[in-house]
Amino acid sequence: MKLDRFCLVAAIAALLALIFPLSGVDSDTGKQVAFVGDIPGLAIAMALCVIAGAAFTWLGVKSVKAGVVILAIAVFGCWQATRVLYEYGVAGYAGLGFWLFIISLWAFVWRGIDVIANFRSLEPTKQHVANITVPIAFGVWLLFLWEVLVSGFGVPQVLLPPPSMIGERFVNSTDILAADFYQTFVKAVLSGYVMGCGSAFIVAIAVDRVPFLKRGLLPLGNMVSALPIIGVAPIMVMWFGFDWQSKAAVIVIMTFFPMLVNTVTGLNAAGKLEKDLMATYASGYWSTLFRLRLPAAMPFVFNALKINSTLALIGAIVAEFFGTPIVGMGFRISTEVGRMNIDMVWAEIALAALAGTAFYGAVAYIERKATSWHPSFRVRRH
Amino acid sequence: MTLKEVVNNVAEMPASKNAVVDIKNLSLTFQTADGPVYALSEVDLTIEEGDFVSFIGPSGCGKTTLLRVIADLERATDGHISINGVSPEAAREQRAYGYVFQAPALLPWRSIERNVTLPLEIMELSKEERVKRAQEALKLVELNGFEKKFPWQLSGGMQQRASIARALSFDADLLLMDEPFGALDEIVRDHLNEQLLKLWARTNKTVAFVTHSIPEAVYLSSKIVVMSPRPGRIIDVIETNFPKDRTLDIRETPEFLEIAHRVREGLRAGHSNDE
């Protein structure tokens, strides 16, 4: 008979967690901070882990239902672990018993996510739910681990604050974050992105039309793209002032070349056969451009748009380090670091991550709608 | 009917037909890094209205190049060519011909219907007219019902039929076909050959058809042009006189086999210069 090793680990670790001390000794009182016996919730969670672990070691986790049961137990365990940290004062004094319990939870979560990740259903909605659950569960588990490790070991907040603290700061400073978001993302990133990508697109069509531009401009563009953004940003601030215009200028410089090169490549993507076909219809330059060459170039154009969506945000934040009005995500990061408000820095980082992901996701979504004919997407349309 | 009679009958046909394609002493040389390549050499050919002309020969004999010169996709370096009495370029500008390539060359972002209406869009016809013509053309190749499908959702044979519908949609009198069924299996090919013949019989179009299959050439054609490579030239022109409503059964008749034999002899003679 084959034993489920993850559940075995979970059961043994939970059993040991009941035996070993939950927490270290408080240096002031000379006593252990907390005992499992004093915390009924935790004791129940640990016992559940031992029983469920032992049971599933023999039974095996064979269905999604079993996976969900395991995950439910793990969620209950995680809740009790955070309670122990913050309500019973174990934060900073976590002992071997506590970490063994975390290991037990880790084994359960791993096994549970594994089962759901391998779930295959012919019903699209069920499959969809499973597909979404896996990354969410994994992300939540990583946040929990971060929280527990930082609090359990008592890591100084200046080095790394726990996610709960960042979340709290995020929720409590929405007005500041909203202002920063508006300044950096809506004003600088979006306008710079549209100007950079738009002008590069038009120049690409011109370059494609005029051979001497192709020979003369492309190498120069290559040089511009190699300019270090750190060097260019202060100059742009001198030229265009402290406000969003200088950031938009930096973004234009950063996004121009990827868009130019990709569009020029894309305009040559239409096959010889298709061009001959258009020639047999006596199709003119613009007709062929709009009916054949631009549609064929779209996968390349969207590639550049996706690359640029992340480049633009990086460019705006870095450029704000070199002078801004007293608002903006980059400005906030640089000043709050100086004031040791690391939680605010992390809140801005979280905001940047959210904005960047949403921006990229939006472009990727439009791409999928616009180029659903492309082989890389049509496979998924069953 | 013996072959001689077939050939004689052709000779006695009324001379009222107009030359759609008139080629005299045509040559085409490609300049490459390895020196000149003589793709076509001193080609003389007349294609008359209502002809079904097949070009047959081994690869590299210039049959596709000749078709491309007719379509103004290549320019001859020497000699004279006229299409409907004008230059190939003018004929192309007038949209005098429909061209079917070896591959379907359907645009993947357009539905079958919109692929068929592509030339009509370029010709700036009205929307109703475009849809009407696309319906007719798709019906001719038995693809009605697939208008909203995308090319990749169709089999290879259906895609090629869609590309034929596209060439038919703007109703040019001359149809140029470059090995359109080369990539298809025997049964699909037979079926499409039959359909093509029916179409030809019904519409009285002039067809120039490149192939490297002898039975296909003999079955379809009213005139077979046998070519040989290096330099590409015409070594024999065989006229057949099968009725326009012929069926696949004629492939078993002695006349068919005799003409096929003559084509094969011609190909062999052209090839022996090489080895």
Side-chain angles (χ1 to χ4, degrees):
Chain A
M1 184 170 179
K2 205 161 173 267
L3 298 179
D4 192 310
R5 264 182 267 160
F6 279 97
C7 291
L8 185 64
V9 169
I12 293 173
L15 191 65
L16 292 176
L18 284 163
I19 300 163
F20 282 95
L22 180 66
S23 65
V25 176
D26 190 331
S27 49
D28 295 337
T29 58
K31 286 181 185 168
Q32 270 197 38
V33 178
F35 297 94
V36 177
D38 300 335
I39 313 164
L42 182 67
I44 293 169
M46 286 182 175
L48 262 178
C49 286
V50 175
I51 297 164
F56 282 113
T57 301
W58 293 107
L59 295 173
V61 189
K62 286 187 183 111
S63 64
V64 176
K65 266 183 204 158
V68 171
V69 168
I70 282 182
L71 281 182
I73 294 169
V75 167
F76 179 68
C78 291
W79 174 46
Q80 291 305 324
T82 42
R83 267 189 70 215
V84 168
L85 279 177
Y86 297 122
E87 289 174 26
Y88 293 90
V90 178
Y93 296 99
L96 186 56
F98 182 81
W99 296 122
L100 281 165
F101 183 49
I102 299 299
I103 288 172
S104 172
L105 293 176
W106 164 78
F108 270 142
V109 169
W110 186 286
R111 195 73 187 85
I113 291 180
D114 187 41
V115 169
I116 294 173
N118 288 322
F119 175 71
R120 294 285 173 272
S121 173
L122 291 175
E123 288 175 51
T125 38
K126 277 189 185 175
Q127 186 65 58
H128 205 63
V129 169
N131 288 350
I132 290 179
T133 309
V134 173
I136 290 179
F138 196 68
V140 170
W141 169 252
L142 284 183
L143 284 178
F144 170 77
L145 212 58
W146 173 1
E147 179 84 33
V148 166
L149 286 174
V150 169
S151 294
F153 284 119
V155 175
Q157 282 164 10
V158 174
L159 286 185
L160 185 64
S164 59
M165 194 174 160
I166 297 168
E168 206 182 325
R169 173 54 79 128
F170 195 99
V171 173
N172 290 338
S173 7
T174 40
D175 48 340
I176 296 178
L177 289 170
D180 291 346
F181 176 80
Y182 182 72
Q183 170 74 18
T184 304
F185 194 85
V186 179
K187 279 185 178 173
V189 170
L190 285 187
S191 55
Y193 182 79
V194 169
M195 283 192 281
C197 294
S199 57
F201 185 76
I202 290 163
V203 171
I205 288 171
V207 162
D208 179 74
R209 187 90 214 253
V210 188
F212 94 83
L213 283 179
K214 199 176 215 161
R215 299 217 180 141
L217 200 68
L218 276 190
L220 281 182
N222 206 343
M223 207 177 78
V224 171
S225 79
L227 291 179
I229 175 190
I230 303 285
V232 176
I235 294 171
M236 290 301 124
V237 171
M238 276 189 350
W239 285 4
F240 297 105
F242 282 118
D243 210 348
W244 62 270
Q245 292 88 341
S246 56
K247 283 81 208 169
V250 170
I251 295 169
V252 167
I253 292 173
M254 285 181 83
T255 57
F256 187 83
F257 192 69
M259 187 69 180
L260 178 68
V261 169
N262 272 287
T263 309
V264 168
T265 310
L267 285 172
N268 293 316
K272 191 176 180 304
L273 200 58
E274 284 78 10
K275 285 182 194 161
D276 279 348
L277 181 77
M278 295 307 266
T280 68
Y281 302 143
S283 169
Y285 170 80
W286 293 106
S287 166
T288 305
L289 182 71
F290 284 112
R291 294 203 170 86
L292 172 66
R293 301 179 68 210
L294 281 181
M298 276 306 129
F300 293 83
V301 171
F302 274 107
N303 226 351
L305 287 175
K306 285 194 290 186
I307 296 169
N308 283 346
S309 71
T310 47
L311 278 183
L313 193 58
I314 298 171
I317 290 174
V318 171
E320 283 183 1
F321 279 55
F322 296 94
T324 46
I326 50 162
V327 64
M329 290 157 77
F331 162 80
R332 196 75 56 204
I333 290 173
S334 63
T335 50
E336 297 297 331
V337 161
R339 293 156 71 181
M340 290 291 184
N341 281 334
I342 302 302
D343 51 346
M344 190 63 205
V345 175
W346 278 96
E348 291 284 356
I349 291 172
L351 176 63
L354 282 177
T357 310
F359 193 18
Y360 186 93
V363 176
Y365 178 79
I366 297 169
E367 177 189 29
R368 187 170 296 194
K369 290 286 154 197
T371 60
S372 59
W373 52 271
H374 195 258
S376 58
F377 296 123
R378 71 171 90 128
V379 189
R380 292 174 203 151
R381 289 174 135 215
H382 282 297
Chain B
M1 227 180 342
T2 64
L3 174 67
K4 209 168 184 185
E5 280 166 359
V6 171
V7 174
N8 284 346
N9 283 347
V10 169
E12 286 160 15
M13 276 164 100
S16 64
K17 287 181 171 182
N18 304 317
V20 174
V21 179
D22 190 31
I23 298 173
K24 283 195 186 74
N25 207 19
L26 183 102
S27 297
L28 194 157
T29 310
F30 290 114
Q31 298 297 340
T32 70
D34 300 331
V37 173
Y38 302 99
L40 291 173
S41 171
E42 298 178 353
V43 171
D44 287 295
L45 181 71
T46 307
I47 299 177
E48 280 157 358
E49 203 179 319
D51 266 353
F52 196 123
V53 180
S54 285
F55 297 90
I56 189 163
S59 13
C61 72
K63 51 194 194 297
T64 295
T65 309
L66 184 54
L67 204 66
R68 289 174 63 83
V69 170
I70 296 172
D72 189 39
L73 297 173
E74 305 283 355
R75 296 281 160 88
T77 40
D78 203 9
H80 165 81
I81 173 167
S82 68
I83 316 290
N84 297 329
V86 296
S87 73
E89 189 180 0
R92 182 170 66 83
E93 298 287 342
Q94 291 165 7
R95 288 140 181 152
Y97 64 84
Y99 199 108
V100 181
F101 293 89
Q102 283 178 20
L106 299 170
L107 304 184
W109 51 85
R110 283 174 168 250
S111 66
I112 293 300
E113 183 181 71
R114 292 200 61 233
N115 261 293
V116 174
T117 56
L118 174 70
L120 310 175
E121 229 174 78
I122 295 168
M123 291 159 70
E124 292 172 354
L125 296 183
S126 73
K127 177 118 203 254
E128 300 83 59
E129 180 69 15
R130 295 202 303 252
V131 173
K132 196 180 122 238
R133 289 222 204 167
Q135 289 294 337
E136 285 166 7
L138 284 171
K139 212 166 184 180
L140 281 177
V141 297
E142 295 176 13
L143 267 184
N144 34 338
F146 292 92
E147 293 87 353
K148 300 290 171 243
K149 296 276 183 202
F150 281 85
W152 75 84
Q153 295 169 317
L154 267 54
S155 70
M158 290 162 96
Q159 288 184 24
Q160 195 54 279
R161 264 147 67 193
S163 83
I164 293 169
R166 182 177 56 189
L168 294 174
S169 68
F170 59 102
D171 207 28
D173 293 327
L174 177 60
L175 204 52
L176 306 177
M177 306 179 91
D178 181 9
E179 289 188 44
F181 311 135
L184 306 177
D185 68 65
E186 194 85 24
I187 294 166
V188 176
R189 196 172 176 151
D190 280 349
H191 180 62
L192 291 180
N193 279 343
E194 273 186 301
Q195 283 185 311
L196 182 59
L197 264 185
K198 276 186 201 155
L199 190 86
W200 176 55
R202 204 173 340 154
T203 57
N204 201 38
K205 286 185 190 300
T206 311
V207 185
F209 189 93
V210 168
T211 180
H212 53 232
S213 156
I214 296 172
E216 191 175 63
V218 180
Y219 173 58
L220 289 173
S221 315
S222 63
K223 196 186 238 178
I224 303 166
V225 177
V226 184
M227 299 182 70
S228 93
R230 282 171 293 263
R233 66 197 188 284
I234 294 175
I235 52 175
D236 197 4
V237 178
I238 307 163
E239 308 225 1
T240 71
N241 201 15
F242 297 115
K244 274 199 166 185
D245 57 351
R246 64 192 83 157
T247 61
L248 283 167
D249 299 333
I250 68 152
R251 291 194 297 194
E252 317 294 334
T253 62
E255 292 91 340
F256 185 95
L257 297 175
E258 212 167 328
I259 296 173
H261 179 74
R262 191 172 150 192
V263 173
R264 187 167 287 118
E265 285 300 308
L267 287 175
R268 200 169 288 160
H271 221 150
S272 60
N273 303 351
D274 241 8
E275 270 82 31

